[in-house]
Structures are given as structure tokens and as C-alpha cells.
Amino acid sequence: MADSAKRALTRRSLLVGIGAAGGAGAMYAAMGVLGLAPGPATDPLPRTGGASGPAPYVPPGRSDFTLRGGRPARVLVLGAGVAGLACAYELGKAGYDCVVLEARDRVGGRSMTLRGGDTVTELAGEHTGTARGAGGASPDGSSGPAGTATPAASAAALDRRLVRFGPGTYFNSGPARIAQWMVTLDYCRELGVPLEVFVNSNASAYVLTSGMTAPVRMRTARADAYGYISELLAKATDAGALDARLTPADQALLLDFLSDFGEIGPALTYTGGDRRGYGSDPGIKAGTALGRPPELAEVLSQGLGRMLTMDAGYEQAMPMFQPVGGMDAIVRALAGRVGAARIRTGTRATRITTGPGGVEVEIDGGAPLKADYCVAALPPHVMARIPANLGADVRSALATPVPMSAGKIGLEYGRRWWELEDRVYGGATETDLDIGHIWYPSHDYHTERGLVVGYYNTGPNAEAYDAMPHRERLRRALAYGARVHGARYRRDLLDAVSVAWRRQPHIEGAWVRWPSTSGLSLLQRPAGRVYFAGDWLTHLIAWQAGALESARRVVTDLHHRVLKEG
Amino acid sequence: MADSAKRALTRRSLLVGIGAAGGAGAMYAAMGVLGLAPGPATDPLPRTGGASGPAPYVPPGRSDFTLRGGRPARVLVLGAGVAGLACAYELGKAGYDCVVLEARDRVGGRSMTLRGGDTVTELAGEHTGTARGAGGASPDGSSGPAGTATPAASAAALDRRLVRFGPGTYFNSGPARIAQWMVTLDYCRELGVPLEVFVNSNASAYVLTSGMTAPVRMRTARADAYGYISELLAKATDAGALDARLTPADQALLLDFLSDFGEIGPALTYTGGDRRGYGSDPGIKAGTALGRPPELAEVLSQGLGRMLTMDAGYEQAMPMFQPVGGMDAIVRALAGRVGAARIRTGTRATRITTGPGGVEVEIDGGAPLKADYCVAALPPHVMARIPANLGADVRSALATPVPMSAGKIGLEYGRRWWELEDRVYGGATETDLDIGHIWYPSHDYHTERGLVVGYYNTGPNAEAYDAMPHRERLRRALAYGARVHGARYRRDLLDAVSVAWRRQPHIEGAWVRWPSTSGLSLLQRPAGRVYFAGDWLTHLIAWQAGALESARRVVTDLHHRVLKEG
């Protein structure tokens, strides 16, 4: 099988908006950058272990200078997102004199956890050009266009919104989940950030596609799909269709597998089973059947495929994890280790000049800053706008990645009706509506309030939501959510906050897409004394793990250079 | 399809020891008791809501007596397990004068969470008759019999073992997980018991069957099985085998589904995909392939079926939940509400006499106790041994359920190597070895110590372990665990505690099996003034939810009788 075809399928699952964040790395691969990342650096530092896989990361240490001479350099880090903070934290281990400049008034970048009292600021009117109409039909059947309000025309206009969540409520508006294998967990351990499970998939949550008349529980949809697949394959086997491929003994093994996998029994016919769930649960009496499953043709027309495989992805498989109390626990811990005195928020770089003896960064409203090195941990499309003497190739490379849209809305409810009435404890309802996913909170079960992520959408759907004012996003979220949950979705709502990442000042994108590989390897190397860091330089785009891996790479390279150059 | 055949398959999945606890309700169903539970009682109390499903539970209240006259009765509850404590708690809401008699020296029954300083007591030599040899070959290839030590012959002999776990370590030796739909969660909410996710299935954990030469990650086994199923069905479809069943349009929908479900691409051939996992994870560079998947025939011979569907069961689907700090938080909260003064541990009932005016319970070393009613919340096989004037039919019915074996071992390690080296955060490794499952802790991630459940076995495997001394159980657990994890499984081990439920004094079984339905409906009704309560009277055998549902039923019936009889 052609790998390109396989990747094209992966990309397709991305483009329909299922698990888009998880698929960004796959898209990166699909775009053809495989193999173009630079090879392993010749590494003068001792490594531990690592018989297979990449050499393990060894952080810079003060003793490196004791042994080799030289001294830690002064480094300006641009951007206090995950990559920038991680660079400053890691360099700080060896005594580097780091200063982090952050244009926003808060650290964390896209790892933005919102709580009561926070203000969400959006750029108004800037990114609405391509979005109008992409949202499709109005969720409640009204005939108006998707975005009826006209955002302010000025690119500089800002829309400020106060978050009014109650105590204890938080909204991970950016990254929200961590896979077991990701380096992010190592930072949680190192930084003492406690973890809990993020329920990325819940058999009791729902699926709703445009091919369905009503939502069904994920377990029911899955049982029906597996049931019919098993029936079809078992009957084909029974009819001799696999005789050329499988021995009789292997056919028997296959039938045995399918009997259980599809609950089809010896008759090899799917008529439903306990895995679908019950009409009324077993207890004093036996559970009652949920009813007959839909016919095969109906199941096929539901378009369930990618909703059922979302949690099979390497980046999405259960269990996943989140820091207790909000994802920003990680960036707050990093910032704490770096030290508040080294982080200057509200400070935008306006010019970068690299030279043989150092680097100079001009800033808004202050004297230029000088250092030995600079790490630009900014989104490439933002960095591309900052005047700098990095050369035309670098400028062109920075302008290559395309910022992508993604959006979420946090719906704070005063009553956890999804637990009380739906018996859904965390997890996600998957839809092919423009809201994408609905997430139920994976924490503080059984407490009074709770925050539901009413949409998490990407691609054209997110572009459409970018163009809407907050109240329209909310209106659509509630209208579509009510298709799943009925009237309760509108009751007990206390506050709602939406974030459109293309409209976040100084970030202006959820993540990036590389339309061509041109320039990637160039930016994985320093331009003079300026290094680049971020998830966008890795195969883990849209994941904090990408930012952290990139930071480790940059720190390693920079430290080696300092040790070599003395 | 015949339901009986479907049930037989369900039972088979139970008997091979996969998810046995979860399958106990299914076994109950398979045994033919469906439909024999008594119908809904005519209910004089007002109910709320409940358009579908059984009438919701309304606890007894003091106001019931205010409105109707009468007074709360005095009730003796035998057994301070989940059912008994729940009865006393619920009756207490209306002011009933309850006293709970518990033969053991601790409350909770099978909900036994062990911590450092606890003592585990086992009956020695009592239940070893059928077990010898059932464990099969020795895990490390030695030729000695499975149980080399001879347990003491005396049924009264006790083996006491001090638990030496460190602070914070606990071992849920009985129930350990709660499904979202179970009433157990309602009690957690009502009692203020905080919850966290129990990771019942982990894509990064392993599968090891006797058909495999080495363990593979669950995600890899699943991807390979789904891949080949998809390939076989897609190619059969492509070859026209489904032409009589499916329209061309439906065939196209099916192929679209299979392309993604099996990662087979347009060539319809499975050659592996990203869902298998990587040799080295994506990061700065793209992930490297894990290698080619095994051939179809090898996958079929691995016998993976039921290991891959374990978490599809209604009682086993993710997410599941556990109380923070140990499952006994529930029984401790119940006991706290009942009040220590009403619970007499170390008090064994020796005779029960029901009469027209009340019930008398004789106890070891004390004066007989009198009450208006008695709730016998004991295992039926234990209750059957207590002399009582309940009639021959009741005695015969009590002797019908067969106590079943199950066992676990808790392995406390000083280092969480499964997180650090395997990147496995909670969940289960599934095997067809006699250890059944290996569970990794779903809590306190990244702390120093952790407790692995080294085996959780049932049926004949558990009977074999029942017959072994603790050190032999440990030896097997370590030998088999090392097949999955290698030498690290023996390092850093601090303490190990095994529990064989057939050997637990006054409990003498993990749960029961009804070999025939004879007597069940009889015991769901009171015998004179004696009621019976426990999971064994429900379709949720082996689950705390069964005990709680049964308690609610008994409390409702008893309260109605008291209200009616004044």
C-alpha cells in the first residue's frame, strides 16, 4: 500500500474536523516533510542509555562550565508560551541569564486557562474575510446567514470580555489533554504538577451525525457498527469467500473472534447485544433491551466511521491526562521556576538585529535589550512581521506556515445535568455538525457547577465561528447542543466564553499548517544568533509536547554552541 | 439468533477468566433466571418522575410516620457489608432503630481496602479440595506442582498476615471500579465521597496470550486485529461477495468505513498504521514505524478476541470510577452515617428466630437481641449455616447459590517503573495466563510508591491460587509479570499481600453463582420478619451496585410493611 494514500486518508480524517488537533502532526507528515528534519547533531555531551530511539535529553548543567570553562550566556527569549518558558527554564538550570519578553499581558501563550475575573481579548474584524458562509445552515433552522453581525473593520480594534465563572470553574481554552507518551508528562513530574485523567472517550457520551435522526450513545453506535461488520465478514467466510485466503482452522478462529467482537452468536447475525446498553439498567430485575438496532443500510448511512476511531489515534487514545485545576498549571510552574523578575509581559519585540557579537531586540516603549543569543518562540506568522536582519530566506520560511483556525466555547452550568440526567461523567460527544465535539468535564465530579466545552471546531467550521460575534457562537452552540441534550442544554447556564484562536492578539492562530516543506529545516537551525522554537517546528504540531521537544532541541544546540565558543 | 446462544458466548467469555467480575451479571442471566424476579411492588408511596424504567427510589422519611401514624421499628441488620450498611443507613433516614451485627472485626465486607498496619486473615486449609493442579504449568518452567505447601488441615486455622505498605499505599482487594450508570455513584454523591477515574482500559498497556511469543501493547494488538478484519471484509466486498446484500452505494460506504477503521487505505491491504504505535515517538523528527505487523494467521492464532472486547461490556466500558483514597471510602461513609454505636463488629449471629411479634437473634458471647425485623445481609452460603426457623424452603434456597473464587495480589513498589519506563499510566494488561489481569494504579501518578495488582483471577485459576500459600501466589505473580515486564517486575518490590476470597472468614467467596433459579424469588421476599439483602439477589452480582439496589428494595418493602402494619 502506498504510504501517501494512507496519509491522505489520515489527512482526510483531519479535514472533516474529527480530532483535528490530534491529526496536525499527521497532516505535517502528509505534507511531505518526512525525512527533511535535520539529522541528529553531533553531540559532544555525554548521554545516558538510549539503545533505541533518539538520544535522551540531558539538560544543561552548571557543571558543564566547571568542566569545560566558559560561562553561561545571556539569552533573550521572545514569547512566554510553552516553548519560550521551557527554554528559559532549561537554560536556567545551567545559570543562563534569560529574559523572557511576552507581548501579551499573561504568560502561557495558547495554554490559556480562563477563570472568573479573567478578561478575554479578541482582535475584531481582522480575520473574517474567508469565513462568511462556511458554517452552513443555521442550527435552529432560521434563514439568516451564519454571522449576522459585522465585526469592526479596524484590525486594531479589540473586543474585551470579562469572564464571570464562579469559584473553581476553569476553561482550558487551548490545549486540554496529554497523551501518556508525551514529554509533557515528564515536565509535570519534574515540576510537581499533579495529574488526573482526561476522559477523551466515553462509551456513555453521544454521537450525532447529519445522517442520524437522533443522537445515540457512543457504545450503541459502536456495537451496531462492530456487529454488522462482524456479521458481513462472518457470513462471507461461511459462504466460502475466504477459502482461498484462510485455512479452515483459521476461518474457525476468525469466526470465533467475530462471534464475540460483534455479539453475533453462532447464527452469525447481528440483532443487538448487551454492549449497546439497556432500556432500563440491570438491577433487581434484568436489564431491558434498548430496542432493535437500526438496519445495516441505516448504520452505513450514518457516517460514523471517524467518530468511532477518534480514540484509536496514537495522540488520542485513552487514558489521557490533565493537570489538576487547569492546564496552565504547567506554564505557571515553568514561569515560577524561571522567576517573575525574568519575565516581562506586555513587552513586544519590534526589531531584532543579530550580529557577530550579540543580538539586540528593540521593544515597544523601552530601551533596546542586548544579549548573546535570542530564542524566538513566537508563532512564525507573528515572527515574520517583526523587522529583523535574518535574511530573505529566513523571512520567506517564516512566512510559509499557514495559521489555522480552531475555537472553543466554555459553557458554565450551575448544575451538572450531564452527570445527573445523562449519566455521562466526562468525555466527548462527537458530531459532524459545525460544533465538532462537546466535552464534559473530567474533574470535580458531583460538585455543583461544571464547565462543558460546547464546541471544539477546526478548519472551515472554526473559520466560520471566527467571523461570528460571541453571542452568535453561543447561539449556535446552544442550538446544536440542544439537538443532543434537549431543553436541559439551555437551563442552568451561568456564563459562556468563546475563544477564536485566529483572533487572539499576538498569537493569531490555533496552530499552523506547512503547505510545503520549504524553509522548515532552515528554521530548525539558528539564523545568526537567533534560534526558533515552537511546536510548529516539530512533528507534534498543536501539542504542548511539540513546543517542549523543540525547546529541548534549541536549548541543547545553543548550549553546545556556548560551550564550544566559550 | 437464539438468545441462549448469545448468552452462552457471554458466559464463555466469563469462564475463560476475562472480566469475570463484570460478567457475573451476565452469567446470572445465562443461568436462566431472566424474568423470574418478582414484578414491581404495588407502591403506596408517592413517586417522582420515572416515565420509563423502574420507579425511582424514594428513601424512607420521618414524615412518612407523621402523615400516616405508626413509628419506626427496631431492626437488626446482620452483616456490615455494603448491603447491610446501606440498609441501616437508609432506614436511619426515617428514624429506624437499627443495630448492625458484623462477625468480622471490620466493616465493609468485601469492600476491603488494605493499608499498612492492617492484618489480612485467611482461613487455612478449608477450600483446597478442588484446586490442586488447576493452575497448569509453573510460570517459570519448574516442574514442581503449583501449590507445594500443604495448608493446615483444620478449617478453624487462621493465617494472619500484617500489611506493611507505606503511607498512602492502599489495595482495593475487593471491588475496585464503578460504572457511570451504577447507583454506587449516587451514593458517592450523597455521601460526599470524591471520585476519580479508574482506568479500566489502556491502549499503552499490554496483551499477552499463550499464543504470543512476547507481549504487545493493547493499541498494537487492536490495530492489527481491526486492520485484518477490515482487509478481509473490504476485499470480499471488492470481489462481489456482498453484492446480494448491499447496494453499490452501501458497499462504497462500507469501504469508506473500513479504510479508516482498519487503516487499510485504498489498496484495501493492511500493512500497519500509526495506531499501532511507533518504534520511536514523533517529536523533532517523525515517528518511526514499529515494524511490520504479524501475518494474519499469526494474529488469528493469538486468541486476542476477548481481551480486545473486555472494555466493550456495559459494566466495563471506559470511563470507570473509584473513590479517591480507596474504595472503602464508601463503606466508611455509610458506617459513619449509621453511627459507630449502632455497629457491633466481632459479633456473630448463631441463631435466628422469627415470630409473630418480632425476631430474636442469638449471638456469640452475649445476650440474645430482639427486634421487630431482621435484615440478613450475609452471603447465602454463610447464612445457610446459621440455625433459624425460616422453613425448609428458605434453607434450601439459601444453600443453592454456589460461592465462587476470585483472588488478587497487591504488589507495592518503591518506584513507579510502569510510568517511568513503560509509559503506562493506569489500566490493565490482559493475559490468558492464570494471573488474568495486571492492574496499574489509577491514582497518585508520578508519586514515589505505587501498588500494582499482580493478578486478578477468577474461576479455576482463582481456585488454584486459593490452594497456594501466599509465597507461592507471589512467586507465580512475579514470574508471570516478568514475562510482560522483564526483570524490572522483581525490582523495587516493597511488600505483597494476596487475598483469596474463598478463604476470607465469614465471607468465604468472591460472589455466588446460581446453578438454578430455584429459590431466588423466595429469598427476594421476607421469611417471616427476616429479609435478605445482597448483590446475590440481583442482576448485578459481584458489584457493589447490586448490594445497594438490593438494600433499597428491602428498605422499601420493609418500610411499606411497617407503615401498613402500624
Side-chain angles (χ1 to χ4, degrees):
Chain A
M1 182 188 62
D3 265 6
S4 59
K6 190 178 69 183
R7 284 186 209 123
L9 279 164
T10 306
R11 185 182 53 200
R12 177 171 166 197
S13 81
L14 182 93
L15 295 179
V16 297
I18 305 302
M27 172 182 276
Y28 192 166
M31 291 304 167
V33 300
L34 272 163
L36 289 176
T42 307
D43 191 342
L45 288 179
R47 297 290 192 184
T48 60
S52 68
Y57 173 69
V58 178
R62 290 176 190 271
S63 63
D64 299 338
F65 295 107
T66 314
L67 297 170
R68 295 158 184 268
R71 57 168 187 82
R74 175 171 163 88
V75 180
L76 288 172
V77 178
L78 309 186
V82 175
L85 290 171
C87 284
Y89 166 64
E90 293 290 347
L91 289 169
K93 291 176 179 175
Y96 282 78
D97 177 19
C98 295
V99 174
V100 184
L101 308 181
E102 170 55 52
R104 291 161 61 91
D105 59 3
R106 59 192 297 162
V107 303
R110 285 166 286 168
S111 181
M112 181 168 70
T113 302
L114 296 171
R115 299 180 182 80
D118 284 340
T119 299
V120 182
T121 303
E122 286 201 353
L123 301 169
E126 193 168 17
H127 296 294
T128 62
T130 63
R132 183 63 60 91
S138 183
D140 51 8
S142 71
S143 54
T148 50
T150 305
S154 161
L158 293 176
D159 170 49
R160 288 197 174 80
R161 186 172 300 278
L162 179 66
V163 180
R164 293 187 175 84
F165 297 154
T169 297
Y170 69 83
F171 172 30
N172 289 333
S173 68
R177 47 191 171 175
I178 308 169
Q180 286 162 100
W181 52 271
M182 289 179 172
V183 70
T184 317
L185 286 193
D186 298 307
Y187 278 92
C188 290
R189 186 173 57 242
E190 181 171 325
L191 298 166
V193 171
L195 295 172
E196 62 195 354
V197 171
F198 177 92
V199 180
N200 198 40
S201 174
N202 186 336
S204 291
Y206 299 90
V207 184
L208 180 62
T209 68
S210 41
M212 299 166 65
T213 53
V216 301
R217 305 262 187 185
M218 184 68 80
R219 63 159 49 84
T220 312
R222 204 179 286 265
D224 291 346
Y226 292 10
Y228 282 120
I229 287 173
S230 298
E231 175 183 333
L232 292 173
L233 183 54
K235 286 185 171 168
T237 307
D238 219 33
L242 304 186
D243 286 356
R245 175 81 188 265
L246 291 180
T247 66
D250 283 347
Q251 291 186 32
L253 290 173
L254 177 62
L255 289 175
D256 186 57
F257 179 90
L258 295 172
S259 289
D260 176 59
F261 183 67
E263 293 189 289
I264 56 174
L268 308 184
T269 300
Y270 181 65
T271 58
D274 293 347
R275 293 179 195 154
R276 302 189 83 223
Y278 292 93
S280 69
D281 287 331
I284 297 293
K285 296 197 279 185
T288 61
L290 193 58
R292 277 189 74 83
E295 297 298 324
L296 167 58
E298 187 180 338
V299 170
L300 288 172
S301 71
Q302 287 173 342
L304 293 172
R306 284 148 187 100
M307 318 224 164
L308 300 186
T309 57
M310 190 269 297
D311 62 352
Y314 191 61
E315 295 162 335
Q316 302 273 348
M318 283 278 279
M320 300 189 77
F321 292 87
Q322 64 180 8
V324 174
M327 186 57 82
D328 66 350
I330 298 172
V331 287
R332 284 188 289 117
L334 285 171
R337 301 291 179 101
V338 171
R342 293 189 174 279
I343 302 172
R344 295 172 58 170
T345 55
T347 304
R348 193 169 64 93
T350 56
R351 180 177 297 275
I352 303 165
T353 308
T354 181
V359 62
E360 181 181 274
V361 175
E362 295 178 27
I363 57 174
D364 251 355
L369 301 169
K370 291 176 191 294
D372 300 308
Y373 298 95
C374 174
V375 178
L378 304 172
H381 46 283
V382 174
M383 178 68 185
R385 293 202 301 262
I386 302 176
N389 66 336
L390 303 176
D393 287 355
V394 165
R395 178 157 308 277
S396 167
L398 286 169
T400 300
V402 178
M404 304 294 286
S405 285
K408 285 183 184 170
I409 194 166
L411 306 174
E412 187 196 33
Y413 290 93
R415 182 169 171 274
R416 297 170 80 99
W417 48 261
W418 53 94
E419 294 174 0
L420 294 162
E421 290 165 36
D422 292 279
R423 306 295 293 203
V424 168
Y425 285 67
T429 284
E430 305 294 337
T431 81
D432 64 0
L433 308 171
D434 69 20
I435 57 171
H437 321 263
I438 297 174
W439 282 358
Y440 312 94
S442 295
H443 49 87
D444 297 331
Y445 304 104
H446 285 167
T447 54
E448 192 183 359
R449 298 175 180 224
L451 184 132
V452 169
V453 176
Y455 64 78
Y456 172 26
N457 54 21
T458 57
N461 291 330
E463 289 169 17
Y465 277 65
D466 288 350
M468 297 175 199
H470 172 75
R471 66 176 180 281
E472 174 65 9
R473 297 174 192 158
L474 174 59
R475 192 183 70 78
R476 289 181 80 90
L478 293 178
Y480 279 136
R483 287 199 193 171
V484 178
H485 290 287
R488 74 183 63 143
Y489 206 78
R490 298 178 186 279
R491 284 196 294 263
D492 304 308
L493 185 66
L494 298 178
D495 193 22
V497 175
S498 66
V499 171
W501 280 101
R502 277 289 277 149
R503 288 177 171 276
Q504 275 294 303
H506 309 292
I507 293 177
E508 302 181 23
W511 52 79
V512 302
R513 174 177 64 81
W514 285 86
S516 84
T517 65
S518 168
L520 171 63
S521 58
L522 182 67
L523 299 180
Q524 289 179 323
R525 299 191 299 268
R529 291 177 168 267
V530 177
Y531 290 76
F532 305 98
D535 63 297
W536 53 281
L537 292 163
T538 74
H539 289 258
L540 290 169
I541 285 182
W543 294 94
Q544 294 176 98
L548 294 165
E549 296 281 7
S550 174
R552 286 183 163 194
R553 171 63 181 258
V554 163
V555 162
T556 301
D557 290 353
L558 193 157
H559 185 50
H560 291 176
R561 180 168 168 183
V562 168
L563 289 177
K564 196 158 57 181
E565 296 183 0
Chain B
M1 182 188 63
D3 266 3
S4 59
K6 190 178 66 181
R7 284 187 207 121
L9 279 164
T10 305
R11 184 181 55 201
R12 175 170 167 200
S13 80
L14 183 92
L15 295 178
V16 297
I18 305 301
M27 172 182 276
Y28 192 166
M31 292 304 168
V33 299
L34 273 163
L36 289 175
T42 307
D43 191 340
L45 289 180
R47 296 291 192 185
T48 60
S52 69
Y57 173 69
V58 178
R62 288 175 192 271
S63 63
D64 299 339
F65 295 107
T66 314
L67 296 170
R68 297 158 184 268
R71 59 171 186 79
R74 176 173 163 84
V75 180
L76 289 172
V77 178
L78 308 186
V82 175
L85 290 171
C87 284
Y89 166 63
E90 292 290 347
L91 289 169
K93 291 176 179 176
Y96 282 78
D97 177 18
C98 295
V99 173
V100 184
L101 308 181
E102 170 56 53
R104 289 160 64 89
D105 59 4
R106 60 192 295 162
V107 302
R110 285 166 286 169
S111 181
M112 180 166 72
T113 301
L114 296 171
R115 299 180 181 81
D118 284 340
T119 299
V120 182
T121 304
E122 286 200 353
L123 301 168
E126 193 169 18
H127 297 293
T128 61
T130 62
R132 184 61 61 90
S138 185
D140 51 7
S142 70
S143 56
T148 50
T150 304
S154 160
L158 292 177
D159 170 48
R160 286 197 176 78
R161 185 172 300 277
L162 179 66
V163 180
R164 293 187 176 84
F165 297 153
T169 297
Y170 67 83
F171 172 30
N172 288 334
S173 67
R177 46 190 171 175
I178 308 169
Q180 287 163 99
W181 52 270
M182 289 179 171
V183 69
T184 317
L185 285 193
D186 298 306
Y187 277 93
C188 290
R189 187 173 58 240
E190 181 171 324
L191 298 166
V193 172
L195 295 172
E196 63 195 354
V197 171
F198 178 92
V199 180
N200 199 38
S201 174
N202 186 336
S204 292
Y206 299 90
V207 185
L208 180 62
T209 69
S210 40
M212 298 166 65
T213 52
V216 299
R217 304 262 187 185
M218 184 68 79
R219 63 159 48 86
T220 311
R222 204 180 286 266
D224 290 345
Y226 292 11
Y228 281 121
I229 287 173
S230 297
E231 174 182 333
L232 292 173
L233 182 54
K235 287 185 171 168
T237 306
D238 219 32
L242 303 186
D243 286 355
R245 176 79 186 269
L246 291 181
T247 66
D250 282 348
Q251 290 185 34
L253 290 173
L254 177 63
L255 289 176
D256 186 58
F257 179 91
L258 295 172
S259 289
D260 177 59
F261 183 67
E263 293 189 289
I264 56 174
L268 308 183
T269 300
Y270 180 65
T271 58
D274 293 346
R275 293 179 196 153
R276 302 189 84 224
Y278 293 93
S280 69
D281 287 331
I284 298 294
K285 296 198 276 187
T288 60
L290 193 56
R292 277 189 72 85
E295 296 298 323
L296 168 58
E298 186 180 341
V299 169
L300 287 172
S301 71
Q302 287 173 342
L304 294 172
R306 283 148 190 100
M307 317 222 165
L308 300 186
T309 56
M310 189 269 296
D311 62 352
Y314 192 62
E315 294 161 337
Q316 302 272 350
M318 282 279 279
M320 300 189 77
F321 292 87
Q322 64 181 9
V324 174
M327 186 55 84
D328 65 350
I330 298 173
V331 288
R332 284 189 289 118
L334 285 170
R337 301 291 180 103
V338 171
R342 294 188 174 279
I343 302 173
R344 296 172 57 169
T345 54
T347 304
R348 192 168 64 92
T350 56
R351 179 176 297 277
I352 302 165
T353 308
T354 181
V359 62
E360 183 181 274
V361 174
E362 296 178 27
I363 57 174
D364 251 357
L369 300 170
K370 290 176 192 293
D372 300 307
Y373 299 97
C374 174
V375 178
L378 304 172
H381 45 284
V382 174
M383 178 68 187
R385 292 202 301 261
I386 302 176
N389 66 337
L390 302 177
D393 286 355
V394 165
R395 177 157 308 280
S396 166
L398 286 170
T400 300
V402 179
M404 304 293 286
S405 285
K408 284 184 184 170
I409 194 166
L411 306 174
E412 187 195 35
Y413 290 93
R415 182 170 171 274
R416 296 170 82 99
W417 48 262
W418 54 92
E419 294 174 2
L420 294 163
E421 289 164 37
D422 292 281
R423 305 295 292 202
V424 168
Y425 285 68
T429 284
E430 304 294 337
T431 82
D432 65 359
L433 308 171
D434 69 20
I435 57 170
H437 321 263
I438 297 174
W439 283 358
Y440 312 93
S442 295
H443 49 88
D444 297 330
Y445 303 105
H446 284 168
T447 55
E448 192 184 359
R449 297 176 179 222
L451 184 132
V452 169
V453 176
Y455 64 78
Y456 172 27
N457 54 20
T458 57
N461 290 331
E463 289 169 17
Y465 278 63
D466 288 349
M468 297 173 199
H470 173 75
R471 67 177 179 281
E472 173 65 9
R473 297 175 192 159
L474 173 59
R475 191 183 70 79
R476 289 182 79 90
L478 293 178
Y480 279 135
R483 287 199 193 172
V484 179
H485 291 288
R488 72 183 64 143
Y489 206 78
R490 298 178 186 279
R491 284 196 293 264
D492 304 307
L493 185 67
L494 299 178
D495 192 24
V497 174
S498 67
V499 172
W501 280 101
R502 277 289 277 152
R503 288 177 171 276
Q504 275 294 303
H506 310 292
I507 294 179
E508 301 179 24
W511 51 79
V512 302
R513 174 177 65 80
W514 285 86
S516 84
T517 64
S518 169
L520 170 63
S521 59
L522 181 68
L523 299 179
Q524 288 179 324
R525 298 191 300 268
R529 291 176 167 268
V530 177
Y531 291 75
F532 305 97
D535 64 297
W536 53 281
L537 291 162
T538 75
H539 289 256
L540 289 170
I541 286 181
W543 294 95
Q544 293 176 98
L548 294 165
E549 296 281 7
S550 173
R552 286 183 163 195
R553 171 62 182 257
V554 162
V555 162
T556 301
D557 290 353
L558 194 158
H559 185 51
H560 290 175
R561 179 168 170 184
V562 168
L563 288 177
K564 195 157 58 180
E565 297 183 359

